[in-house]
């Protein structure tokens, strides 16, 4: 079955950077769009960013544009999220997801999440 394993979360000061990774197995990775979502305490899960199968298309939530960058390495079955200029409001559990499209409802498999905490 599909397994998505996130890593790289942690505690960082505001203005700092983190790089999340998501290692995928059990799927033809290069055939799937990949995305990152996040869920803060007491809030619904929200879309952060997505990338198309070959990485030619990337999409971002307005709240992270210019600060976050999604990328993928199809040879390593891995997707990355580089997060710069982090803000306290970026604090959340970040989830990796795979799907056949980049719409929020297109993602069907999810990782277990990794906690990102940004201190002010």
């Amino acid at each position: 079955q599909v397994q998505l394993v996130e890593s790289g979360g942690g505690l960082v000061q505001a203005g700092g950077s983190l790089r999340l990774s998501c290692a995928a197995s059990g799927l033809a990775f290069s055939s799937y769009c990949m995305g990152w979502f996040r869920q803060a305490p007491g809030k619904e899960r929200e879309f952060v960013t997505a990338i198309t199968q070959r990485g030619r298309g990337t999409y971002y939530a307005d709240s992270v544009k210019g600060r976050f960058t999604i990328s993928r390495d199809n040879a390593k079955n891995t997707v990355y999220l580089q997060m710069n200029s982090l803000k306290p409001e970026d604090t959340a559990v970040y989830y990796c997801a795979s799907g056949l499209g980049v719409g929020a409802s297109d993602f069907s498999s999810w990782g277990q999440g990794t906690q990102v905490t940004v201190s002010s």
Side-chain angles (χ1 to χ4, degrees):
Q1 72 274 18
V2 177
Q3 275 199 316
L4 303 173
V5 180
E6 301 96 335
S7 61
L11 173 64
V12 64
Q13 287 189 331
S17 298
L18 280 175
R19 188 194 196 203
L20 305 184
S21 299
C22 172
S25 61
L27 78 168
F29 184 74
S30 61
S31 297
Y32 285 79
C33 297
M34 300 297 296
W36 289 94
F37 292 73
R38 66 186 182 187
Q39 186 167 20
K43 295 188 177 181
E44 293 188 354
R45 185 170 61 193
E46 64 174 358
F47 170 82
V48 176
T49 180
I51 188 167
T52 54
Q53 289 89 336
R54 294 184 181 182
R56 292 174 181 172
T58 57
Y59 306 85
Y60 296 92
D62 287 343
S63 58
V64 306
K65 269 181 192 173
R67 299 188 298 122
F68 290 11
T69 303
I70 189 171
S71 62
R72 65 189 296 163
D73 185 338
N74 285 351
K76 295 183 178 179
N77 285 9
T78 302
V79 63
Y80 304 97
L81 180 62
Q82 178 67 43
M83 305 185 293
N84 298 328
S85 302
L86 282 161
K87 305 175 181 180
E89 51 263 44
D90 294 318
T91 295
V93 177
Y94 283 71
Y95 298 91
C96 172
S98 65
L100 295 177
V102 292
S105 61
D106 293 325
F107 292 94
S108 55
S109 296
W110 300 83
Q112 82 289 348
T114 186
Q115 177 71 47
V116 171
T117 303
V118 184
S119 63
S120 57

